[in-house]
Amino acid sequence: MGLFPLSRLSWRRQEVLWGYICISPFLIGFTVFTVGPLIFSLYMSLEKYVAGLPPTFVGFYNYQYMLRDALFWQSLKVTVTYTVFVVPLGVIIGFLLALLMNQGVKGIGVWRTVYYMPSVVSGVAVSMMWLWLLNPDFGVVDNILHSLGIPGPGWLTTTTWALPSLILMSVWGAGGSMIIYLAGLQGVPKQLYEAAAIDGAGRWGSFLNVTIPLMTPIVFFELVMGIIGTFQVFINAFIMTDGGPAYSTLFYVLYMFQQGFEQFHLGLAAAMAWVLFAIVMVLTFLVFKSASLWVYYESPAEERTN
Amino acid sequence: MNDRPVSRRKVLLSVGGLGVVTLLAACSAATPASPTAASTPASSTSAKPAPTQTPKTGSSKATATTPTVAAQAQSGAGTQGAKIVFYVWGGAPEKKVWDAEAAAFHKANPKFTVNDEILGSAFNQKLTAAFAAGTPPDSFYSGGVPFGNAKVEQLLPLDSYVKQDQVNLNDYFPVTIKNYQYKGHLYSLPNECGGYVIYYDEGLLKEAKQETPGALLAAGKWDWNHLIQVAKAASNPPNQFGFDIWNYSLIQIYAWDQGGDLVDNDTDPTTSNWNKPIGTEVLQFYSDLCNKYKIMPDPSFEQAHGGSGGVAVAMESNRLAMGVQGAWERLFLNSAKVSFKWDIGLMPKGSKTATTVGYASGCVGTAAAKHHDETWQFIKFMGSEEGNKIYAGLIAVPPLVKVANSDWFLKRPPVNDKIQTKVYLDALKASRPSINFPKINQYNQIVNNELDLVRLQKVTPQAAAQQIHTDLMSKVFGSGGY
């Protein structure tokens, strides 16, 4: 008799058991690499854990320290400012680009590819490219401005322009959301436009009363993903400004990285990660709660939940 | 036969339990090394005598000139076949040096091999992540005690090894040893060193009708005022700048030159002097260079030209007349086949003295290393005459005084038609180690923030100096920090 006398089990039990065996690689991986570290980081956030030294349990000290730390608030301020500008910009520009790319003109495939292409370039490469483009000495942007008799503002070297530069740079990646909006636009049933036309709606009326309502679920998706994404901004600031000048681009995750991997305050960095998680969760919850006010679904809510 | 299906809860609990057990097992392996173990390297020194081997003479020029080094290196204990994992920065130009060092070490110590991982620009991130994960390499290259990458408890103190093998630290230039000392413990034997010098483009200075730093020094006129005068004449902002130096080097050197110190102790500071007149004076000077004389570029220039080889690139494009770097810049100025004529000079004199930052690089061992004894053998080899010559032969100054003063170094073929080795040596002799202590990252963050504000003229030098002092006293030297 084998260790697992499967043949003695009913067919149904065998099927269930095999099902679990088959998904166990994921379950084990998820537990070990996601749930485990999650729990461990929560515990770490309650410790004064400086890399290389034995950790000591300090309760909520890290959270209290954070509240007293001016740079924590500065990093939060920078990140919220970035989110407030970048998320609406991404939604609007992505949507407008999708409308343009939804036109049935010759060579539209090429245009779609061109606009989507920046989204597949790695963040580091994009940062390096922009670093050179915005360089006041030999950057293309300043050279163009100089040729027009306008002095460059010091894009990444002044406290006034460093964060706006990163915000403007984010538009570069609008092609990613454009593709999602485009898919949504192409899914709008033509009959609805025909019905609107019969009712006397012009192009603007159709856009306001058909296109926009049917695109709200996608706007909702982009909004949620945008909030989550902008709160996790790291690469641009890490490579281009390292949080400067004078902390004007000190993003939350960059500061968390500095605490964890430059100053070795792993317990504090873990606490910051949990605060970030809480902030993103609350904001996502608020967006979800507001959805019933502005997101239009063709099917009733009770059908969607079934 | 039981028809009841396997309970989902039981299966999930089993899988979850297995996962947690695996996780805990993994975590226990990554527990950081105990500080006690780290602070007592002697206890881990099994001191098994190595078999005596006859040094192979004549097999290479370096070995032939230093027949005793290989024998010394073989005297320590070590595990047969041990592989020492060694992280190092650099790129293609340095690769041949590291390969040569590793090969020479293996030749001198056939029992061990060095697995050198040349990490290039990823060096800092990879090393820091390895320390944070509790899996650092056996050894890594470092300029000074690597407080920016690790806690001192994670490093391997070498005092007992130095004593055991009777290494004479007086054989080295004092500044190079000071770079590796912290609270009486030593963490490396230097492999290369130097003092920051000024590289200049002879053509640009001639165009600006200015004398070179060397000529001004010979005339006894080479001070900061003359540097400003020369740099101003050679500047045409924002296209061309007269002078560039890393900010943190500038403020240190200028303070030392005026007879001041920004902290009470460079390696173990307990108080800041930024609230004293010297603090305001250095910030005023920095502000003047950027805003009044407009001879120094802003940080974007640093981003483009600030790293190793940056001066070579900036000068090649006629953007910089004088730039401060270490001896490594020579490698880039030579290999870039630059079209301009360049030379080097010493840093200018202040009201009291003429100093510069003295740096050293060497191998540091880690407390969590698998092979402490073998790592020590490697560190000792890199700090030996043979190890010094391989690296210094390419780009640097040998930290061993007798090697630096030997004909091998002083009379070797000159670079750029000039004998420059003497300038490098003079710079080293006039140098001090940079401020470096466990909270150096926090120190730099606080100072750099105010430097930004001063450069942008958002605050006065006096207010910035006071703010630096307040922040340092509360967050770095006081109890208000983490």
Side-chain angles (χ1 to χ4, degrees), chain A residues 8 13 20 36 50-51 53 62 136-137 157 159 240 245-247 258 261-264, chain B residues 1 4 8 11 23 128 149 151 300-301 303 319 441-442 445 449 452 455 458 482:
Chain A
R8 291 177 63 183
R13 286 195 71 182
Y20 282 123
V50 177
L53 303 177
N62 289 324
D137 296 332
T157 54
T159 47
M240 297 176 71
Y247 303 133
Q258 288 177 349
F261 291 98
E262 288 180 5
Q263 300 182 12
F264 311 110
Chain B
M1 188 182 287
R4 196 163 54 86
R8 183 187 297 169
V11 171
L23 179 75
T128 308
N149 296 108
K151 288 283 165 190
S300 63
F301 192 90
Q303 284 173 334
R319 305 191 71 83
N441 282 340
Q442 283 144 293
Q445 195 175 36
N449 175 51
D452 279 341
R455 175 179 58 80
K458 301 256 179 195
Y482 187 75

mmCIF file of all heavy atoms in Angstrom, chain A residues 8 13 20 36 50-51 53 62 136-137 157 159 240 245-247 258 261-264, chain B residues 1 4 8 11 23 128 149 151 300-301 303 319 441-442 445 449 452 455 458 482:
data_model
loop_
_atom_site.group_PDB
_atom_site.id
_atom_site.type_symbol
_atom_site.label_atom_id
_atom_site.label_comp_id
_atom_site.label_asym_id
_atom_site.label_seq_id
_atom_site.Cartn_x
_atom_site.Cartn_y
_atom_site.Cartn_z
ATOM 1 N N ARG A 8 -8.335 4.408 -2.786
ATOM 2 C CA ARG A 8 -9.372 4.154 -1.781
ATOM 3 C C ARG A 8 -10.282 5.362 -1.607
ATOM 4 O O ARG A 8 -11.314 5.269 -0.959
ATOM 5 C CB ARG A 8 -8.724 3.786 -0.450
ATOM 6 C CG ARG A 8 -8.044 2.407 -0.509
ATOM 7 C CD ARG A 8 -7.346 2.089 0.780
ATOM 8 N NE ARG A 8 -8.294 1.992 1.891
ATOM 9 C CZ ARG A 8 -7.912 1.784 3.147
ATOM 10 N NH1 ARG A 8 -6.629 1.683 3.428
ATOM 11 N NH2 ARG A 8 -8.811 1.700 4.114
ATOM 12 N N ARG A 13 -13.192 13.014 -4.098
ATOM 13 C CA ARG A 13 -12.111 13.419 -3.182
ATOM 14 C C ARG A 13 -10.770 13.446 -3.911
ATOM 15 O O ARG A 13 -9.937 14.305 -3.670
ATOM 16 C CB ARG A 13 -12.019 12.461 -1.998
ATOM 17 C CG ARG A 13 -13.145 12.657 -1.022
ATOM 18 C CD ARG A 13 -12.838 11.975 0.295
ATOM 19 N NE ARG A 13 -11.790 12.672 1.034
ATOM 20 C CZ ARG A 13 -11.308 12.271 2.185
ATOM 21 N NH1 ARG A 13 -11.783 11.160 2.743
ATOM 22 N NH2 ARG A 13 -10.378 12.938 2.808
ATOM 23 N N TYR A 20 -5.884 20.595 -5.360
ATOM 24 C CA TYR A 20 -5.050 21.294 -4.389
ATOM 25 C C TYR A 20 -3.565 21.049 -4.650
ATOM 26 O O TYR A 20 -2.724 21.942 -4.487
ATOM 27 C CB TYR A 20 -5.417 20.876 -2.961
ATOM 28 C CG TYR A 20 -6.672 21.555 -2.474
ATOM 29 C CD1 TYR A 20 -7.763 20.817 -2.044
ATOM 30 C CD2 TYR A 20 -6.763 22.947 -2.441
ATOM 31 C CE1 TYR A 20 -8.922 21.433 -1.592
ATOM 32 C CE2 TYR A 20 -7.906 23.580 -1.998
ATOM 33 C CZ TYR A 20 -8.982 22.818 -1.576
ATOM 34 O OH TYR A 20 -10.101 23.450 -1.146
ATOM 35 N N GLY A 36 4.094 35.716 3.863
ATOM 36 C CA GLY A 36 5.138 35.611 4.900
ATOM 37 C C GLY A 36 5.868 36.926 5.087
ATOM 38 O O GLY A 36 5.891 37.490 6.199
ATOM 39 N N VAL A 50 18.006 47.926 13.012
ATOM 40 C CA VAL A 50 19.035 48.553 12.194
ATOM 41 C C VAL A 50 19.862 47.416 11.615
ATOM 42 O O VAL A 50 20.351 46.564 12.366
ATOM 43 C CB VAL A 50 19.923 49.495 13.039
ATOM 44 C CG1 VAL A 50 21.034 50.089 12.193
ATOM 45 C CG2 VAL A 50 19.075 50.591 13.653
ATOM 46 N N ALA A 51 19.968 47.381 10.284
ATOM 47 C CA ALA A 51 20.660 46.269 9.619
ATOM 48 C C ALA A 51 22.027 46.038 10.251
ATOM 49 O O ALA A 51 22.794 46.976 10.446
ATOM 50 C CB ALA A 51 20.819 46.567 8.139
ATOM 51 N N LEU A 53 22.524 44.960 13.285
ATOM 52 C CA LEU A 53 22.427 44.926 14.741
ATOM 53 C C LEU A 53 21.213 44.085 15.134
ATOM 54 O O LEU A 53 20.246 44.001 14.369
ATOM 55 C CB LEU A 53 22.262 46.352 15.301
ATOM 56 C CG LEU A 53 23.351 47.360 14.931
ATOM 57 C CD1 LEU A 53 23.012 48.724 15.502
ATOM 58 C CD2 LEU A 53 24.689 46.892 15.471
ATOM 59 N N ASN A 62 8.386 53.354 15.952
ATOM 60 C CA ASN A 62 8.659 53.765 14.562
ATOM 61 C C ASN A 62 7.549 54.668 14.025
ATOM 62 O O ASN A 62 7.816 55.633 13.302
ATOM 63 C CB ASN A 62 8.803 52.539 13.660
ATOM 64 C CG ASN A 62 10.084 51.787 13.938
ATOM 65 O OD1 ASN A 62 11.108 52.393 14.232
ATOM 66 N ND2 ASN A 62 10.026 50.462 13.868
ATOM 67 N N PRO A 136 20.633 71.566 -18.487
ATOM 68 C CA PRO A 136 20.703 72.977 -18.906
ATOM 69 C C PRO A 136 21.893 73.294 -19.801
ATOM 70 O O PRO A 136 21.882 74.296 -20.504
ATOM 71 C CB PRO A 136 20.795 73.732 -17.584
ATOM 72 C CG PRO A 136 21.259 72.738 -16.597
ATOM 73 C CD PRO A 136 20.821 71.392 -17.063
ATOM 74 N N ASP A 137 22.923 72.461 -19.765
ATOM 75 C CA ASP A 137 24.114 72.763 -20.565
ATOM 76 C C ASP A 137 23.988 72.286 -22.012
ATOM 77 O O ASP A 137 24.367 72.984 -22.934
ATOM 78 C CB ASP A 137 25.352 72.112 -19.934
ATOM 79 C CG ASP A 137 25.633 72.696 -18.569
ATOM 80 O OD1 ASP A 137 25.271 73.862 -18.365
ATOM 81 O OD2 ASP A 137 26.178 71.989 -17.720
ATOM 82 N N THR A 157 17.163 71.417 -11.274
ATOM 83 C CA THR A 157 18.109 71.950 -10.284
ATOM 84 C C THR A 157 17.532 73.074 -9.443
ATOM 85 O O THR A 157 18.227 73.637 -8.610
ATOM 86 C CB THR A 157 19.384 72.462 -10.987
ATOM 87 O OG1 THR A 157 18.988 73.400 -11.991
ATOM 88 C CG2 THR A 157 20.161 71.337 -11.616
ATOM 89 N N THR A 159 14.225 74.348 -6.920
ATOM 90 C CA THR A 159 13.100 73.817 -6.144
ATOM 91 C C THR A 159 11.769 74.158 -6.817
ATOM 92 O O THR A 159 10.778 73.471 -6.633
ATOM 93 C CB THR A 159 13.111 74.396 -4.712
ATOM 94 O OG1 THR A 159 13.318 75.801 -4.803
ATOM 95 C CG2 THR A 159 14.217 73.784 -3.887
ATOM 96 N N MET A 240 17.068 60.652 -11.248
ATOM 97 C CA MET A 240 17.211 62.008 -11.784
ATOM 98 C C MET A 240 17.544 63.069 -10.742
ATOM 99 O O MET A 240 18.254 64.033 -11.032
ATOM 100 C CB MET A 240 15.932 62.400 -12.523
ATOM 101 C CG MET A 240 15.686 61.494 -13.725
ATOM 102 S SD MET A 240 14.141 61.841 -14.536
ATOM 103 C CE MET A 240 14.471 63.400 -15.309
ATOM 104 N N PRO A 245 16.394 69.154 -5.646
ATOM 105 C CA PRO A 245 17.180 69.934 -4.694
ATOM 106 C C PRO A 245 16.351 70.320 -3.465
ATOM 107 O O PRO A 245 15.149 70.575 -3.600
ATOM 108 C CB PRO A 245 17.540 71.189 -5.502
ATOM 109 C CG PRO A 245 16.486 71.278 -6.565
ATOM 110 C CD PRO A 245 16.054 69.894 -6.857
ATOM 111 N N ALA A 246 17.024 70.345 -2.358
ATOM 112 C CA ALA A 246 16.409 70.717 -1.076
ATOM 113 C C ALA A 246 15.111 69.950 -0.819
ATOM 114 O O ALA A 246 14.101 70.531 -0.430
ATOM 115 C CB ALA A 246 16.164 72.222 -1.008
ATOM 116 N N TYR A 247 15.153 68.642 -1.041
ATOM 117 C CA TYR A 247 14.032 67.726 -0.730
ATOM 118 C C TYR A 247 12.780 68.004 -1.574
ATOM 119 O O TYR A 247 11.707 67.500 -1.251
ATOM 120 C CB TYR A 247 13.643 67.783 0.748
ATOM 121 C CG TYR A 247 14.768 67.486 1.701
ATOM 122 C CD1 TYR A 247 15.001 68.306 2.801
ATOM 123 C CD2 TYR A 247 15.577 66.372 1.536
ATOM 124 C CE1 TYR A 247 16.040 68.043 3.693
ATOM 125 C CE2 TYR A 247 16.621 66.104 2.421
ATOM 126 C CZ TYR A 247 16.832 66.939 3.491
ATOM 127 O OH TYR A 247 17.846 66.668 4.365
ATOM 128 N N GLN A 258 15.646 55.312 1.240
ATOM 129 C CA GLN A 258 16.806 55.925 1.905
ATOM 130 C C GLN A 258 16.896 55.466 3.355
ATOM 131 O O GLN A 258 17.979 55.156 3.853
ATOM 132 C CB GLN A 258 16.706 57.455 1.852
ATOM 133 C CG GLN A 258 16.965 58.020 0.467
ATOM 134 C CD GLN A 258 16.783 59.531 0.407
ATOM 135 O OE1 GLN A 258 16.270 60.143 1.342
ATOM 136 N NE2 GLN A 258 17.177 60.129 -0.696
ATOM 137 N N PHE A 261 17.717 51.438 3.039
ATOM 138 C CA PHE A 261 18.922 50.923 2.395
ATOM 139 C C PHE A 261 20.094 51.899 2.362
ATOM 140 O O PHE A 261 21.156 51.551 1.887
ATOM 141 C CB PHE A 261 18.586 50.463 0.975
ATOM 142 C CG PHE A 261 17.721 49.232 0.962
ATOM 143 C CD1 PHE A 261 16.359 49.343 0.794
ATOM 144 C CD2 PHE A 261 18.268 47.990 1.166
ATOM 145 C CE1 PHE A 261 15.547 48.220 0.814
ATOM 146 C CE2 PHE A 261 17.480 46.861 1.187
ATOM 147 C CZ PHE A 261 16.109 46.975 1.011
ATOM 148 N N GLU A 262 19.892 53.100 2.844
ATOM 149 C CA GLU A 262 21.037 54.014 2.937
ATOM 150 C C GLU A 262 21.362 54.291 4.396
ATOM 151 O O GLU A 262 22.502 54.466 4.763
ATOM 152 C CB GLU A 262 20.744 55.325 2.190
ATOM 153 C CG GLU A 262 20.746 55.109 0.677
ATOM 154 C CD GLU A 262 20.456 56.364 -0.111
ATOM 155 O OE1 GLU A 262 20.339 57.452 0.479
ATOM 156 O OE2 GLU A 262 20.333 56.238 -1.341
ATOM 157 N N GLN A 263 20.305 54.336 5.227
ATOM 158 C CA GLN A 263 20.561 54.567 6.642
ATOM 159 C C GLN A 263 20.319 53.299 7.458
ATOM 160 O O GLN A 263 20.463 53.311 8.678
ATOM 161 C CB GLN A 263 19.708 55.734 7.130
ATOM 162 C CG GLN A 263 20.057 56.990 6.333
ATOM 163 C CD GLN A 263 19.306 58.224 6.748
ATOM 164 O OE1 GLN A 263 18.664 58.245 7.779
ATOM 165 N NE2 GLN A 263 19.377 59.255 5.946
ATOM 166 N N PHE A 264 19.923 52.242 6.780
ATOM 167 C CA PHE A 264 19.784 50.902 7.380
ATOM 168 C C PHE A 264 18.733 50.819 8.482
ATOM 169 O O PHE A 264 18.796 49.959 9.345
ATOM 170 C CB PHE A 264 21.134 50.406 7.913
ATOM 171 C CG PHE A 264 22.247 50.559 6.925
ATOM 172 C CD1 PHE A 264 23.252 51.484 7.117
ATOM 173 C CD2 PHE A 264 22.286 49.783 5.775
ATOM 174 C CE1 PHE A 264 24.268 51.647 6.185
ATOM 175 C CE2 PHE A 264 23.292 49.935 4.842
ATOM 176 C CZ PHE A 264 24.287 50.864 5.059
ATOM 177 N N MET B 1 -15.888 3.217 2.511
ATOM 178 C CA MET B 1 -15.170 4.328 1.878
ATOM 179 C C MET B 1 -15.815 5.664 2.247
ATOM 180 O O MET B 1 -17.027 5.793 2.179
ATOM 181 C CB MET B 1 -15.189 4.109 0.362
ATOM 182 C CG MET B 1 -14.331 5.083 -0.359
ATOM 183 S SD MET B 1 -14.430 4.820 -2.132
ATOM 184 C CE MET B 1 -13.494 3.326 -2.306
ATOM 185 N N ARG B 4 -16.683 11.914 1.994
ATOM 186 C CA ARG B 4 -16.556 13.323 2.330
ATOM 187 C C ARG B 4 -15.304 13.914 1.659
ATOM 188 O O ARG B 4 -14.212 13.343 1.769
ATOM 189 C CB ARG B 4 -16.435 13.460 3.863
ATOM 190 C CG ARG B 4 -16.676 14.869 4.362
ATOM 191 C CD ARG B 4 -16.949 14.822 5.871
ATOM 192 N NE ARG B 4 -15.893 14.143 6.596
ATOM 193 C CZ ARG B 4 -14.781 14.742 7.024
ATOM 194 N NH1 ARG B 4 -14.586 16.016 6.805
ATOM 195 N NH2 ARG B 4 -13.872 14.077 7.678
ATOM 196 N N ARG B 8 -11.419 21.930 2.473
ATOM 197 C CA ARG B 8 -10.621 23.026 1.896
ATOM 198 C C ARG B 8 -9.785 23.697 2.994
ATOM 199 O O ARG B 8 -8.624 24.045 2.809
ATOM 200 C CB ARG B 8 -11.575 24.034 1.263
ATOM 201 C CG ARG B 8 -10.833 25.168 0.573
ATOM 202 C CD ARG B 8 -11.751 26.235 0.089
ATOM 203 N NE ARG B 8 -12.674 25.749 -0.927
ATOM 204 C CZ ARG B 8 -13.715 26.448 -1.366
ATOM 205 N NH1 ARG B 8 -13.967 27.627 -0.865
ATOM 206 N NH2 ARG B 8 -14.521 25.967 -2.294
ATOM 207 N N VAL B 11 -6.713 21.634 3.796
ATOM 208 C CA VAL B 11 -5.669 21.727 2.773
ATOM 209 C C VAL B 11 -4.985 23.086 2.841
ATOM 210 O O VAL B 11 -3.753 23.184 2.845
ATOM 211 C CB VAL B 11 -6.260 21.482 1.360
ATOM 212 C CG1 VAL B 11 -5.207 21.793 0.291
ATOM 213 C CG2 VAL B 11 -6.727 20.055 1.235
ATOM 214 N N LEU B 23 9.278 29.559 5.359
ATOM 215 C CA LEU B 23 9.670 30.964 5.518
ATOM 216 C C LEU B 23 10.556 31.140 6.741
ATOM 217 O O LEU B 23 11.605 31.796 6.686
ATOM 218 C CB LEU B 23 8.418 31.837 5.649
ATOM 219 C CG LEU B 23 8.685 33.311 5.848
ATOM 220 C CD1 LEU B 23 9.122 33.933 4.533
ATOM 221 C CD2 LEU B 23 7.457 34.018 6.365
ATOM 222 N N THR B 128 24.809 47.127 -0.737
ATOM 223 C CA THR B 128 23.909 47.504 0.352
ATOM 224 C C THR B 128 22.797 46.479 0.496
ATOM 225 O O THR B 128 22.444 46.075 1.609
ATOM 226 C CB THR B 128 23.313 48.902 0.085
ATOM 227 O OG1 THR B 128 24.377 49.797 -0.186
ATOM 228 C CG2 THR B 128 22.538 49.406 1.276
ATOM 229 N N ASN B 149 27.676 51.847 3.258
ATOM 230 C CA ASN B 149 27.142 50.579 2.788
ATOM 231 C C ASN B 149 26.778 49.612 3.906
ATOM 232 O O ASN B 149 25.945 48.733 3.711
ATOM 233 C CB ASN B 149 28.165 49.862 1.898
ATOM 234 C CG ASN B 149 28.464 50.630 0.635
ATOM 235 O OD1 ASN B 149 29.536 51.188 0.489
ATOM 236 N ND2 ASN B 149 27.502 50.695 -0.265
ATOM 237 N N LYS B 151 26.943 48.623 8.452
ATOM 238 C CA LYS B 151 27.208 49.001 9.839
ATOM 239 C C LYS B 151 28.579 48.440 10.213
ATOM 240 O O LYS B 151 28.978 47.380 9.707
ATOM 241 C CB LYS B 151 26.144 48.392 10.760
ATOM 242 C CG LYS B 151 24.792 49.061 10.605
ATOM 243 C CD LYS B 151 24.800 50.388 11.313
ATOM 244 C CE LYS B 151 23.620 51.229 10.884
ATOM 245 N NZ LYS B 151 23.695 52.602 11.346
ATOM 246 N N SER B 300 23.391 69.848 -12.191
ATOM 247 C CA SER B 300 23.118 69.104 -13.424
ATOM 248 C C SER B 300 24.425 68.800 -14.156
ATOM 249 O O SER B 300 24.543 67.786 -14.838
ATOM 250 C CB SER B 300 22.197 69.919 -14.333
ATOM 251 O OG SER B 300 22.841 71.109 -14.724
ATOM 252 N N PHE B 301 25.400 69.672 -13.989
ATOM 253 C CA PHE B 301 26.716 69.439 -14.583
ATOM 254 C C PHE B 301 27.350 68.215 -13.938
ATOM 255 O O PHE B 301 27.964 67.379 -14.600
ATOM 256 C CB PHE B 301 27.581 70.679 -14.354
ATOM 257 C CG PHE B 301 28.861 70.696 -15.145
ATOM 258 C CD1 PHE B 301 28.905 71.258 -16.403
ATOM 259 C CD2 PHE B 301 30.023 70.165 -14.620
ATOM 260 C CE1 PHE B 301 30.091 71.288 -17.129
ATOM 261 C CE2 PHE B 301 31.202 70.184 -15.331
ATOM 262 C CZ PHE B 301 31.245 70.753 -16.590
ATOM 263 N N GLN B 303 25.721 65.748 -12.651
ATOM 264 C CA GLN B 303 25.033 64.542 -13.128
ATOM 265 C C GLN B 303 25.624 64.080 -14.454
ATOM 266 O O GLN B 303 25.729 62.891 -14.721
ATOM 267 C CB GLN B 303 23.543 64.818 -13.294
ATOM 268 C CG GLN B 303 22.808 64.854 -11.971
ATOM 269 C CD GLN B 303 21.372 65.303 -12.146
ATOM 270 O OE1 GLN B 303 21.022 66.015 -13.071
ATOM 271 N NE2 GLN B 303 20.523 64.879 -11.236
ATOM 272 N N ARG B 319 34.008 72.520 -21.980
ATOM 273 C CA ARG B 319 33.019 73.035 -21.030
ATOM 274 C C ARG B 319 33.650 73.327 -19.678
ATOM 275 O O ARG B 319 33.008 73.887 -18.809
ATOM 276 C CB ARG B 319 31.881 72.025 -20.857
ATOM 277 C CG ARG B 319 31.225 71.627 -22.149
ATOM 278 C CD ARG B 319 29.965 70.866 -21.894
ATOM 279 N NE ARG B 319 28.934 71.757 -21.362
ATOM 280 C CZ ARG B 319 28.170 72.533 -22.126
ATOM 281 N NH1 ARG B 319 28.338 72.539 -23.424
ATOM 282 N NH2 ARG B 319 27.245 73.297 -21.597
ATOM 283 N N ASN B 441 25.746 59.194 6.083
ATOM 284 C CA ASN B 441 24.667 59.431 5.110
ATOM 285 C C ASN B 441 23.722 60.521 5.601
ATOM 286 O O ASN B 441 23.304 61.388 4.831
ATOM 287 C CB ASN B 441 23.874 58.143 4.872
ATOM 288 C CG ASN B 441 24.607 57.194 3.945
ATOM 289 O OD1 ASN B 441 25.490 57.612 3.209
ATOM 290 N ND2 ASN B 441 24.246 55.924 3.983
ATOM 291 N N GLN B 442 23.379 60.466 6.895
ATOM 292 C CA GLN B 442 22.479 61.488 7.444
ATOM 293 C C GLN B 442 23.166 62.859 7.452
ATOM 294 O O GLN B 442 22.547 63.872 7.158
ATOM 295 C CB GLN B 442 22.048 61.109 8.863
ATOM 296 C CG GLN B 442 20.980 60.035 8.860
ATOM 297 C CD GLN B 442 21.161 59.085 10.021
ATOM 298 O OE1 GLN B 442 22.135 58.342 10.080
ATOM 299 N NE2 GLN B 442 20.238 59.109 10.950
ATOM 300 N N GLN B 445 23.133 64.218 3.985
ATOM 301 C CA GLN B 445 21.785 64.618 3.561
ATOM 302 C C GLN B 445 21.441 66.002 4.123
ATOM 303 O O GLN B 445 20.932 66.863 3.408
ATOM 304 C CB GLN B 445 20.764 63.581 4.028
ATOM 305 C CG GLN B 445 19.427 63.728 3.341
ATOM 306 C CD GLN B 445 18.450 62.624 3.722
ATOM 307 O OE1 GLN B 445 18.446 62.180 4.870
ATOM 308 N NE2 GLN B 445 17.633 62.209 2.789
ATOM 309 N N ASN B 449 21.225 69.396 1.664
ATOM 310 C CA ASN B 449 19.965 70.127 1.564
ATOM 311 C C ASN B 449 20.208 71.631 1.690
ATOM 312 O O ASN B 449 19.717 72.433 0.902
ATOM 313 C CB ASN B 449 19.009 69.647 2.654
ATOM 314 C CG ASN B 449 17.734 70.452 2.671
ATOM 315 O OD1 ASN B 449 17.095 70.624 1.646
ATOM 316 N ND2 ASN B 449 17.378 70.978 3.828
ATOM 317 N N ASP B 452 22.027 73.123 -1.322
ATOM 318 C CA ASP B 452 21.069 73.400 -2.409
ATOM 319 C C ASP B 452 20.399 74.752 -2.192
ATOM 320 O O ASP B 452 20.294 75.563 -3.107
ATOM 321 C CB ASP B 452 19.964 72.328 -2.442
ATOM 322 C CG ASP B 452 20.410 71.057 -3.142
ATOM 323 O OD1 ASP B 452 21.392 71.126 -3.900
ATOM 324 O OD2 ASP B 452 19.770 70.008 -2.938
ATOM 325 N N ARG B 455 22.819 77.619 -2.746
ATOM 326 C CA ARG B 455 23.097 77.806 -4.184
ATOM 327 C C ARG B 455 21.919 78.503 -4.867
ATOM 328 O O ARG B 455 22.107 79.362 -5.730
ATOM 329 C CB ARG B 455 23.355 76.436 -4.831
ATOM 330 C CG ARG B 455 23.535 76.489 -6.335
ATOM 331 C CD ARG B 455 23.811 75.101 -6.914
ATOM 332 N NE ARG B 455 22.764 74.146 -6.619
ATOM 333 C CZ ARG B 455 21.616 74.057 -7.268
ATOM 334 N NH1 ARG B 455 21.360 74.861 -8.262
ATOM 335 N NH2 ARG B 455 20.708 73.153 -6.942
ATOM 336 N N LYS B 458 17.973 80.714 -1.601
ATOM 337 C CA LYS B 458 16.710 80.687 -0.859
ATOM 338 C C LYS B 458 16.943 81.012 0.613
ATOM 339 O O LYS B 458 16.013 81.382 1.325
ATOM 340 C CB LYS B 458 16.063 79.303 -0.956
ATOM 341 C CG LYS B 458 15.764 78.853 -2.375
ATOM 342 C CD LYS B 458 14.305 78.978 -2.687
ATOM 343 C CE LYS B 458 14.040 78.557 -4.113
ATOM 344 N NZ LYS B 458 12.734 78.963 -4.590
ATOM 345 N N TYR B 482 17.099 58.818 14.695
ATOM 346 C CA TYR B 482 16.551 57.470 14.828
ATOM 347 C C TYR B 482 17.529 56.585 15.573
ATOM 348 O O TYR B 482 18.698 56.546 15.245
ATOM 349 C CB TYR B 482 16.279 56.886 13.447
ATOM 350 C CG TYR B 482 15.562 55.573 13.515
ATOM 351 C CD1 TYR B 482 14.211 55.540 13.834
ATOM 352 C CD2 TYR B 482 16.233 54.381 13.304
ATOM 353 C CE1 TYR B 482 13.537 54.332 13.916
ATOM 354 C CE2 TYR B 482 15.567 53.172 13.383
ATOM 355 C CZ TYR B 482 14.222 53.154 13.689
ATOM 356 O OH TYR B 482 13.561 51.955 13.779
#
